């Protein structure tokens, strides 16, 4: 399997009518990203077919200027990292590649597609210091990776890193980081409601509107109203 073969297969799904639909998902600010015009369902299906693609070839896909090709690359990485049969050494290589090429993962959905499996799952039994470094990055997509990666821990009923990283990012200037923070403290709150309530008690007044909206989305109506009233006291 090669990167060229992956792109050739992906090109069979190209449809000019899809370009506009795909474009609306890309929120990056580079001048080089182009749009292939392929539905994401077809991107993911093709990535699964090429899930044995070697890292050297995945790296070539990450060099590509087409959004959907890079989405295919991170999807292949996620499939490999999430496979229980993948050796630990290979998972480390995927982890390193994701971080080394984060400049090419310059949109919210690249992060959401790959961070949990590639970064979070790898760190389950390891130091998580790298996430705190990413949370301090000037790159908003790296900051998003910091919090989205904690989904892997949340699934293991481990929510502390989610809330600690959320504290670092609580006043983040980027809306798509705000939304990620709100989303993942909400998910962590499903595992530990008290921890979410304590966090909201402390930060609800000051957190960005997007963070607040996502964080309280699944609360019961009474609790939701309580925190809305708390925000009005600012």
């Amino acid at each position: 399997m090669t990167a060229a073969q992956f792109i050739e297969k992906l090109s069979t799904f190209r449809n000019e009518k899809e370009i506009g639909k795909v474009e609306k998902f890309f929120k990056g600010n580079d001048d080089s990203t182009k749009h292939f015009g392929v539905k994401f369902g077809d991107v993911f299906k093709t990535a699964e077919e090429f899930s044995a693609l070697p890292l050297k070839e995945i790296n070539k896909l990450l060099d590509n200027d087409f959004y959907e090709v890079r989405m295919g690359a991170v999807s292949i990485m996620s499939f490999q990292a999430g496979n229980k049969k993948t050796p630990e050494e290979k998972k480390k290589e995927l982890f390193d590649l994701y971080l080394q090429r984060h400049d090419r993962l310059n949109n919210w959905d690249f992060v959401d597609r790959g961070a949990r499996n590639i970064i979070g799952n790898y760190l389950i039994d390891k130091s998580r210091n790298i996430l705190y470094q990413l949370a301090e990055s000037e790159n908003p997509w790296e900051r998003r990776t910091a919090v989205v990666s904690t989904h892997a821990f949340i699934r293991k009923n481990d929510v502390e890193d989610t809330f600690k990283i959320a504290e670092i990012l609580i006043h983040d200037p980027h809306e798509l980081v705000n939304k990620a923070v709100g989303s993942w403290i909400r998910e962590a709150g499903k595992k530990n409601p008290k921890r979410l309530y304590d966090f909201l008690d402390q930060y609800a007044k000051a957190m960005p509107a997007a963070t607040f909206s996502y964080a309280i989305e699944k609360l019961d109506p009474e609790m939701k109203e309580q925190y809305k009233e708390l925000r009005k006291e600012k």
Side-chain angles (χ1 to χ4, degrees):
M1 288 185 172
T2 67
Q5 289 172 336
F6 175 84
I7 294 170
E8 181 180 4
K9 178 62 181 289
L10 199 64
S11 69
T12 63
F13 298 105
R14 293 185 74 173
N15 183 339
E16 292 293 322
K17 294 180 180 179
E18 292 297 321
I19 290 179
K21 297 177 184 178
V22 173
E23 282 179 342
K24 71 179 182 180
F25 289 101
F26 188 74
K27 307 299 182 183
N29 57 0
D30 68 88
D31 297 323
S32 60
T33 295
K34 304 172 185 176
H35 305 279
F36 224 31
V38 177
K39 294 179 180 178
F40 286 140
D42 291 324
V43 174
F44 302 148
K45 180 173 66 175
T46 306
E48 190 168 12
E49 291 175 14
F50 281 77
S51 60
L53 195 69
L55 258 63
K56 182 179 179 181
E57 298 300 311
I58 294 172
N59 208 10
K60 292 178 182 177
L61 296 180
L62 291 172
D63 282 329
N64 197 282
D65 284 338
F66 283 99
Y67 175 30
E68 298 95 321
V69 173
R70 297 206 302 279
M71 180 60 76
V74 76
S75 297
I76 292 168
M77 293 169 68
S78 184
F79 283 130
Q80 292 184 5
N83 189 333
K84 293 179 179 179
K85 295 181 180 179
T86 300
E88 185 73 3
E89 181 181 351
K90 178 65 174 295
K91 291 181 179 180
K92 175 63 163 63
E93 291 174 344
L94 291 162
F95 173 88
D96 289 341
L97 182 62
Y98 181 106
L99 295 176
Q100 290 164 5
R101 301 308 310 274
H102 212 312
D103 62 312
R104 304 301 291 160
L105 305 179
N106 59 341
N107 199 44
W108 64 272
D109 51 357
F110 290 136
V111 172
D112 290 12
R113 184 67 178 166
R116 187 192 77 194
N117 279 349
I118 302 166
I119 303 299
N121 280 345
Y122 180 73
L123 295 176
I124 287 287
D125 57 353
K126 301 174 183 65
S127 168
R128 298 165 187 181
N129 288 342
I130 184 62
L131 299 184
Y132 292 86
Q133 295 173 31
L134 291 172
E136 301 284 359
S137 172
E138 294 183 0
N139 182 332
W141 312 121
E142 292 185 353
R143 300 198 301 274
R144 188 172 173 112
T145 286
V147 68
V148 173
S149 296
T150 69
H151 186 198
F153 315 150
I154 294 169
R155 296 175 84 192
K156 300 286 186 179
N157 296 315
D158 178 358
V159 302
E160 284 309 304
D161 287 292
T162 304
F163 286 107
K164 288 177 181 177
I165 290 170
E167 284 188 310
I168 296 171
L169 299 174
I170 196 63
H171 300 300
D172 199 276
H174 200 290
E175 184 183 17
L176 290 171
V177 176
N178 300 157
K179 290 179 177 180
V181 170
S183 294
W184 296 113
I185 62 172
R186 178 193 68 219
E187 295 307 303
K190 293 177 182 178
K191 301 290 187 179
N192 189 331
K194 183 180 184 304
R195 192 67 177 84
L196 175 59
Y197 298 151
D198 289 345
F199 190 90
L200 289 171
D201 289 344
Q202 184 173 357
Y203 294 108
K205 287 185 179 182
M207 67 174 57
T211 305
F212 180 74
S213 177
Y214 279 68
I216 69 167
E217 187 177 15
K218 300 299 182 180
L219 297 183
D220 64 62
E222 183 178 340
M223 291 298 296
K224 195 177 291 188
E225 190 59 34
Q226 177 180 319
Y227 284 111
K228 288 180 178 179
E229 289 299 318
L230 181 62
R231 264 179 83 80
K232 292 178 183 178
E233 297 174 9
K234 289 194 294 184

